[in-house]
Amino acid sequence: MEPVRFVGADAREPYGYRFYDKDRVVLGKRLEDHLRLAVCYWHSFCWPGTDPFGGETFQRAWMAAGDPMAQARLKADVAFEMFDLLGLPFFTFHDRDIAPEGATLAESNANVNAIADVFEGKMADSGTRLLWGTANLFSNRRYMAGAATNPDPEVFAYAAAQVKTALDVTHRLGGANYVLWGGREGYETLLNTDLKRELDQLGRFLALVVEYKHRIGFTGTILIEPKPQEPTKHQYDFDVATVYGFLKAYGLEAEVKVNIEQGHAILAGHSFEHELALAHALGIFGSVDMNRNDYQSGWDTDQFAMNVPELALAYREILKGGGFTTGGTNFDAKLRRQSLDAVDLIQAHVGSADAIARGLLAAAAMIEDGRLQATADARYAGWDRPENAAILSGERSLEDLAERVSRDRLEPQPVSGRQEYLESLVNLFV
């Protein structure tokens, strides 16, 4: 198979990139550098096509019976072949994606480090970089009651040891970030749960990771990925606002940022752009997991993002906030279980990369046009006048405001928010 090339918007065969022209300069930056696209290891190479009512549909060679480490090396070969075919700059992984779990933690760590050696050579040859690594603290039965929030301190210690190795490997491979996903950090019933104790445990666990990051000289960003539910009834990292409150409570808001997933935002009852805008407003935006949910399903379906209008609104918020620094756009998406062929995996990434690129191009056009931002600026312009700015700076009391309303006989009247006009304006660009 030939590497995927940019073929232009007029092409009528979707195998080539029609909009993802990585060297195109948009708002002063190459498209590749804006998007920082990453292929994820778990959905692409580990998920076998199961669902709650059916078994495996993908029969990949590296999933067959055989020596687990030999299969892990084969999987690495296939993964980097696909990275090279796609020509995307990054990949992401969990420790248990890349290497099998052993009978002991020492054996598991040896397996992970052996595959990291393989990665190191392949990364040097291909130029593919690591956006982030993470540890799987949710699949093994020991984590059924959580990892950091587990009532058993020995599980807490085991999880910490597992994270240490995953962070070491991420650091060795030049990862730009390290992600902690809550997995099973939550509860299924309050009847056996001490919320305060579990939150304190989670706060201390995260502090341990931050402290270790600085000791080893890891300069990447520590990220938390919010999710409201599934697999537990209630996750402690419910959404961006909840994560920010947690970080503030444990003094970690300057050390940790968020990795926001579109599907998780929807499960929390928000839009993707809401979570992105709030993360920027709170100063904790880091990275995104890009996918979409099926809006007729009530769970996290992790489909490849193809909805350009949704993506345009999301990337408008990312661009307004200054864009990515260490973060990027991770394809946290899996094929539909009926998409059996290897070429389907290539096509999914190509089609989604094009949709994402179209979304960013539309967002950039909105920003360059300026009318959306000008309307918002005009809506809040009154706060820029000195008398009103003095309210927010703490120079006016409640009595002062009451006296001003009486003295100036203020009778403010509402002003149109022009929502339909603004929605119509967005449609000019998508």
Side-chain angles (χ1 to χ4, degrees):
M1 184 177 290
E2 290 295 315
V4 182
R5 306 295 184 192
F6 175 69
V7 295
D10 292 335
R12 286 294 169 261
E13 172 54 49
Y15 179 74
Y17 293 121
R18 299 174 63 240
F19 296 92
Y20 179 62
D21 178 1
K22 67 179 182 179
D23 292 318
R24 178 174 176 178
V25 176
V26 181
L27 298 180
K29 186 187 294 187
R30 293 171 63 249
L31 196 55
E32 179 179 85
D33 298 329
H34 268 301
L35 294 175
R36 294 168 62 85
L37 294 168
V39 180
C40 82
Y41 219 82
W42 53 100
H43 287 328
S44 296
F45 307 107
C46 303
W47 185 61
T50 57
D51 70 12
F53 304 100
E56 300 177 4
T57 60
F58 302 153
Q59 297 177 344
R60 314 300 192 201
W62 59 90
M63 294 177 181
D67 175 68
M69 285 300 290
Q71 297 295 68
R73 289 185 174 88
L74 174 60
K75 182 164 54 175
D77 290 341
V78 173
F80 276 84
E81 180 183 356
M82 192 176 93
F83 301 160
D84 290 342
L85 285 172
L86 291 170
L88 301 178
F90 293 101
F91 75 105
T92 57
F93 70 85
H94 293 85
D95 52 358
R96 298 297 177 255
D97 304 329
I98 65 174
E101 187 162 8
T104 65
L105 184 60
E107 185 179 325
S108 298
N109 290 345
N111 291 343
V112 170
N113 278 294
I115 299 302
D117 292 341
V118 174
F119 281 4
E120 207 160 17
K122 290 181 177 295
M123 291 170 71
D125 292 338
S126 73
T128 306
R129 293 165 285 163
L130 178 61
L131 186 65
W132 50 258
T134 188
N136 180 329
L137 304 180
F138 48 89
S139 292
N140 191 290
R141 69 191 296 272
R142 75 174 61 88
Y143 296 129
M144 68 179 187
T149 59
N150 201 287
D152 184 347
E154 292 186 358
V155 174
F156 181 105
Y158 194 103
Q162 190 176 330
V163 166
K164 177 186 177 297
T165 296
L167 184 50
D168 285 339
V169 168
T170 300
H171 183 36
R172 171 155 73 99
L173 297 177
N177 309 271
Y178 183 83
V179 172
L180 294 126
W181 177 54
R184 299 185 185 276
E185 311 296 7
Y187 68 81
E188 295 179 3
T189 174
L190 284 173
L191 297 175
N192 62 6
T193 301
D194 185 329
L195 275 172
K196 180 64 167 61
R197 183 185 291 273
E198 293 197 359
L199 289 171
D200 286 347
Q201 290 174 210
L202 190 57
R204 183 58 192 142
F205 192 96
L206 187 55
L208 287 168
V209 174
V210 169
E211 292 163 7
Y212 185 66
K213 161 195 164 170
H214 290 300
R215 278 199 297 277
I216 65 174
F218 178 64
T219 58
T221 304
I222 302 297
L223 301 170
I224 286 182
E225 183 171 325
K227 187 174 185 181
Q229 59 196 32
E230 193 194 62
T232 64
K233 174 182 178 179
H234 174 83
Q235 298 278 126
Y236 294 136
D237 50 4
F238 187 92
D239 60 5
V240 168
T242 305
V243 169
Y244 181 73
F246 167 79
L247 294 175
K248 285 286 286 186
Y250 293 95
L252 295 165
E253 71 275 12
E255 293 280 2
V256 180
K257 299 186 184 300
V258 285
N259 180 58
I260 305 170
E261 180 179 310
Q262 193 267 7
H264 295 176
I266 301 303
L267 288 177
H270 306 306
S271 67
F272 193 21
E273 60 267 27
H274 164 86
E275 291 287 84
L276 294 165
L278 185 58
H280 279 300
L282 297 173
I284 59 170
F285 174 74
S287 195
V288 299
D289 270 8
M290 183 55 69
N291 55 32
R292 80 182 194 274
N293 283 355
D294 185 324
Y295 293 127
Q296 292 175 293
S297 300
W299 63 88
D300 200 5
T301 55
D302 289 327
Q303 296 172 232
F304 278 87
M306 300 289 186
N307 189 317
V308 175
E310 284 186 344
L311 292 166
L313 294 176
Y315 280 97
R316 178 172 176 265
E317 295 301 331
I318 292 172
L319 292 176
K320 280 171 57 184
F324 294 115
T325 54
T326 62
T329 304
N330 178 47
F331 284 108
D332 187 14
K334 55 180 179 272
L335 292 175
R336 299 302 85 196
R337 67 196 301 266
Q338 295 183 45
S339 298
L340 301 177
D341 298 336
V343 70
D344 293 327
L345 192 55
I346 300 290
Q347 185 60 69
H349 284 87
V350 171
S352 191
D354 264 349
I356 290 165
R358 289 179 70 185
L360 184 133
L361 293 171
M366 291 181 216
I367 289 172
E368 290 181 313
D369 174 79
R371 281 178 286 176
L372 284 170
Q373 190 60 50
T375 302
D377 290 344
R379 193 171 184 225
Y380 295 94
W383 286 101
D384 295 330
R385 293 197 289 270
E387 178 60 27
N388 298 322
I391 300 172
L392 299 184
S393 65
E395 300 173 50
R396 297 292 182 269
S397 67
L398 198 64
E399 295 93 333
D400 292 333
L401 296 181
E403 194 279 329
R404 175 185 168 188
V405 171
S406 177
R407 181 191 68 233
D408 297 342
R409 298 181 180 179
L410 296 183
E411 293 292 343
Q413 298 300 312
V415 177
S416 174
R418 308 188 71 192
Q419 180 175 332
E420 291 74 20
Y421 163 74
L422 296 174
E423 291 172 343
S424 299
L425 192 55
V426 167
N427 283 340
L428 296 179
F429 302 97
V430 297

